[in-house]
Amino acid sequence: GAGVSQTPSNKVTEKGKYVELRCDPISGHTALYWYRQSLGQGPEFLIYFQGTGAADDSGLPNDRFFAVRPEGSVSTLKIQRTERGDSAVYLCASRYSGTGGEQYFGPGTRLTVT
Amino acid sequence: AQRVTQPEKLLSVFKGAPVELKCNYSYSGSPELFWYVQYSRQRLQLLLRHISRESIKGFTADLNKGETSFHLKKPFAQEEDSAMYYCALRVNRDDKIIFGKGTRLHILP
C-alpha cells in the first residue's frame, strides 16, 4: 500500500516568508509525528498528533512554528517569518492507533531558506 | 533528560569483516531502543527494536542496561550494508522517538 507522502519534496524560500509543508499519513494511522533533521544531525521531534489534537508540541522551537491536522488525517506544518536556521529536512511519520506500533516515515521535505 | 549518543560519525569496514556500531543512551528508566537505517535516496526505516530480539539482514543488537548500551553488530559486512544508521529510544509506547546523530557505515570492497 501507499506509504507516508510529503509535499513538496523541495522548497526554497526567502528569509521572512511563510511556508506550509504537507504530510499525508498512511490510511488508518491515527498518530502523526513531525521531526526536523538538520545537516549532520539525527531527526529531532517537533510535534505529535493523536487524531485531530496535538498530544505533545514540546518540540516546536518557537511560536513561528505551528501545525494542524483538522480532520485527523492530512497534517500541515506552518512556519512564519522563516529564518536561515530553519533550513532542514522536515520529516513526517505516522503510526497505527495500537500502542507501541512502528512509526513509518515519509521521504521528507527539504526546506532551504535563502 | 533522555539522550542517545553515537560516538562515530563514520565507520569504514572491509567487506566480510565484522561490524559494530556503538550506541549509548541516558535514561533512568526502561526505554524502548531501536536502530533505524537510511539507504541512499531512500526514506528512514526501522531496522530492529530491542523488544523483538530478532536478527534483521544479519544485524543484531543487545540491550545492556548496566552499560546503557545498544550496539549494533553484524559478523560479516556486505556492500549493501552501506547506509546511515541511527540509534533511537522511546520512553513510552505512544511517545516521540529520540534519535542519535547517526553513523555512516561505509563498506569497502
Side-chain angles (χ1 to χ4, degrees):
Chain A
V4 178
S5 62
Q6 293 186 245
T7 54
S9 56
N10 280 283
K11 176 71 176 178
V12 180
T13 190
E14 291 179 349
K15 179 176 178 295
K17 299 288 189 184
Y18 168 82
V19 296
E20 290 190 351
L21 311 179
R22 176 187 168 110
C23 172
D24 275 273
I26 293 171
S27 178
H29 281 196
T30 59
L32 185 147
Y33 303 79
W34 283 99
Y35 294 84
R36 176 169 72 172
Q37 186 169 20
S38 302
L39 195 62
Q41 304 293 317
E44 294 178 294
F45 169 77
L46 295 176
I47 186 169
Y48 154 47
F49 287 90
Q50 184 61 256
T52 59
D56 182 357
D57 64 358
S58 62
L60 295 177
N62 51 60
D63 60 6
R64 295 187 298 105
F65 289 74
F66 189 70
V68 295
R69 196 185 184 201
E71 297 178 357
S73 178
V74 170
S75 177
T76 305
L77 179 66
K78 308 180 180 195
I79 311 174
Q80 299 177 315
R81 305 182 304 280
T82 52
E83 300 177 357
R84 292 197 180 88
D86 298 335
S87 295
V89 175
Y90 288 80
L91 297 171
C92 176
S94 71
R95 176 177 61 78
Y96 183 61
S97 61
T99 58
E102 178 182 345
Q103 291 185 23
Y104 293 86
F105 282 81
T109 293
R110 181 175 298 278
L111 175 67
T112 304
V113 182
T114 62
Chain B
Q2 304 92 19
R3 180 179 294 177
V4 177
T5 302
Q6 294 180 251
E8 303 136 330
K9 290 183 71 172
L10 172 66
L11 184 65
S12 295
V13 173
F14 283 103
K15 177 181 170 183
V19 174
E20 183 177 41
L21 300 175
K22 296 193 187 310
C23 172
N24 287 88
Y25 67 92
S26 61
Y27 179 62
S28 57
S30 295
E32 198 175 353
L33 274 294
F34 306 87
W35 277 98
Y36 279 81
V37 61
Q38 188 165 27
Y39 301 102
S40 180
R41 297 187 183 83
Q42 294 188 25
R43 63 187 67 190
L44 194 62
Q45 59 185 285
L46 179 65
L47 179 63
L48 54 80
R49 54 202 300 182
H50 89 270
I51 60 172
S52 300
R53 304 182 67 84
E54 58 193 344
S55 173
I56 303 293
K57 299 184 179 182
F59 285 97
T60 59
D62 291 319
L63 178 61
N64 185 321
K65 291 186 178 181
E67 296 182 358
T68 59
S69 69
F70 189 56
H71 304 324
L72 183 68
K73 300 178 183 179
K74 184 170 182 175
F76 307 104
Q78 298 171 282
E79 289 190 58
E80 55 263 35
D81 296 330
S82 292
M84 197 74 189
Y85 290 80
Y86 296 94
C87 183
L89 73 80
R90 185 166 66 184
V91 170
N92 68 62
R93 306 187 89 190
D94 293 335
D95 210 346
K96 59 185 177 284
I97 293 175
I98 298 166
F99 290 87
K101 292 187 176 183
T103 297
R104 179 168 298 284
L105 178 62
H106 183 209
I107 306 302
L108 303 166

